[in-house]
Amino acid sequence: MNDLELLQGLQSRQAVAFRYLVEHYQTKVFNTVLAIVQHPEEAEDVAQEVFMEVYESIDKFRGESKVSSWVYRIATTKALEAYRKKKAQKRWGGFLSSLFGENNEAMYEPIDFVHPGVELENKERASVLFKAINQLSDNQKIAFTLHHVEGLSYQEVTEVMQVSLSSVESLMFRAKTNLKSLLKTYYTSQ
Amino acid sequence: MKKNYKIEEEIERTLQSLEGIKPAEPTPFFYTRLQARMEKKKEVKTGWHWRPAYAYAFLGVVILLNVWTIYQVSHRSSNAESGEQFANDYGLNDFSGFDTN
């Protein structure tokens, strides 16, 4: 099924088209979301929301970009929303427990995320890297994860993020510089 | 110097740790679970209480009840006022009950 057939099928609410979309994109969406929210159950929940959003807003999609870019765009937006929400809840939870005198450090310390697709010998290092990725700005985080985790080319990243190639190059350069600086702090303190 | 070199090496190796990463798969029956969630959402949205006609009718009843209550309260107080006026006019305010002695 090509993009045009898929789009027409989705816009006419064909179950076959929607099923094709989900089965074709579920791994891509889940993987993209997982790299940002860094929690498998939550990533699956957000991935479902991505497809629900695709289904509900298909009439607004005019086909000016590829279906894949559009789906990735919804996935990154939803993942960032979920990440921000979780962060705010943690902050609020931390504030509440500090008010009531509980030891919030143990409760709200994020669990180390280990991506299931990382090679065994790299798991520990990847976990350190994902922690550093979490501290990047939203755009740097999206550009970096789409390229390094999802394996999209710079050109594909420009289509998802709707920015120029030079902007993506700049985002990647700044992301790497910031990651190096964060990792330096981490390894110096070790 | 040697320590700095080691740190630089650690950083490079960590930055390269995502090379060869394989895509993470969602748990099986993702589509089935998604469908169930969409159905549930649809049921909630299309429940009778979500239909605009019912919502407007309910709102109308609430407004009518409010108007009726306000009318009743104001009417009752105006009745009480007119009763008091009547008592004043006919000098009934001094009445302190029957003398039983």
Side-chain angles (χ1 to χ4, degrees):
Chain A
M1 201 181 275
N2 63 31
D3 259 18
L4 188 65
E5 288 167 342
L6 180 61
L7 193 59
Q8 282 170 347
L10 288 171
Q11 283 174 338
S12 55
R13 305 281 181 220
Q14 283 175 21
V16 187
F18 186 64
R19 191 180 186 125
Y20 174 86
L21 176 95
V22 175
E23 284 174 356
H24 193 71
Y25 286 101
Q26 62 182 22
T27 305
K28 295 180 198 328
V29 168
F30 177 71
N31 210 37
T32 305
V33 173
L34 182 65
I36 296 170
V37 301
Q38 302 187 3
H39 190 282
E41 283 85 25
E42 206 182 330
E44 194 151 322
D45 210 43
V46 176
Q48 285 184 1
E49 282 168 21
V50 171
F51 288 109
M52 285 158 80
E53 174 79 28
V54 168
Y55 186 80
E56 282 162 15
S57 60
I58 190 68
D59 294 326
K60 290 179 201 157
F61 181 63
R62 298 272 161 256
E64 60 279 341
S65 65
K66 285 184 201 159
V67 172
S68 61
S69 306
W70 182 57
V71 173
Y72 272 124
R73 196 151 54 239
I74 295 175
T76 49
T77 309
K78 287 264 175 204
L80 283 175
E81 274 173 18
Y83 176 74
R84 279 191 216 112
K85 203 173 156 188
K86 196 169 79 174
K87 213 171 154 187
Q89 278 173 349
K90 273 180 191 167
R91 207 176 294 146
W92 178 240
F95 169 70
L96 281 183
S97 43
S98 68
L99 273 183
F100 294 104
E102 286 174 36
N103 178 15
N104 57 330
E105 274 176 39
M107 253 174 107
Y108 296 101
E109 190 64 32
I111 304 159
D112 282 350
F113 168 66
V114 181
H115 191 285
V118 172
E119 287 171 4
L120 194 65
E121 67 268 24
N122 286 333
K123 283 204 185 290
E124 207 175 308
R125 285 183 184 281
S127 178
V128 173
L129 182 58
F130 271 110
K131 244 184 185 173
I133 291 171
N134 251 346
Q135 293 176 59
L136 295 177
S137 72
D138 288 353
N139 280 347
Q140 290 173 25
K141 198 188 290 183
I142 291 175
F144 190 87
T145 52
L146 283 177
H147 181 65
H148 286 281
V149 180
E150 199 40 40
L152 298 193
S153 66
Y154 278 19
Q155 187 54 47
E156 286 168 318
V157 176
T158 65
E159 285 163 22
V160 176
M161 296 185 76
Q162 292 182 309
V163 291
S164 65
L165 187 63
S166 59
S167 298
V168 170
E169 284 168 347
S170 163
L171 280 172
M172 289 300 291
F173 177 76
R174 278 185 282 146
K176 276 182 193 164
T177 310
N178 288 337
L179 285 174
K180 277 184 183 173
S181 160
L182 289 162
L183 291 173
K184 191 169 187 173
T185 312
Y186 174 79
Y187 284 115
T188 312
S189 67
Q190 288 295 296
Chain B
M1 185 74 184
K2 201 176 174 185
K3 197 187 171 192
N4 275 351
Y5 174 75
K6 200 170 181 317
I7 287 174
E8 290 301 320
E9 201 190 323
E10 290 285 341
I11 292 168
E12 279 312 312
R13 286 181 68 189
T14 303
L15 281 172
Q16 286 163 14
S17 64
L18 295 182
E19 275 178 16
I21 189 171
K22 290 181 182 66
E25 298 274 346
T27 50
F29 309 111
F30 179 84
Y31 182 72
T32 315
R33 273 178 284 116
L34 170 65
Q35 257 192 325
R37 190 167 165 188
M38 288 173 82
E39 281 300 317
K40 203 173 167 187
K41 195 181 174 189
K42 209 158 74 182
E43 272 170 30
V44 172
K45 266 194 173 172
T46 55
W48 67 269
H49 50 286
W50 280 101
R51 289 186 190 167
Y54 287 106
Y56 287 129
F58 179 72
L59 191 67
V61 168
V62 171
I63 292 170
L64 276 176
L65 274 173
N66 274 304
V67 169
W68 184 78
T69 311
I70 291 165
Y71 174 76
Q72 285 296 312
V73 169
S74 61
H75 192 68
R76 197 174 300 153
S77 60
S78 68
N79 271 350
E81 274 169 25
S82 61
E84 214 170 293
Q85 185 69 40
F86 181 83
N88 283 336
D89 289 348
Y90 291 91
L92 298 175
N93 281 345
D94 299 334
F95 181 72
S96 54
F98 294 104
D99 190 1
T100 50
N101 293 327

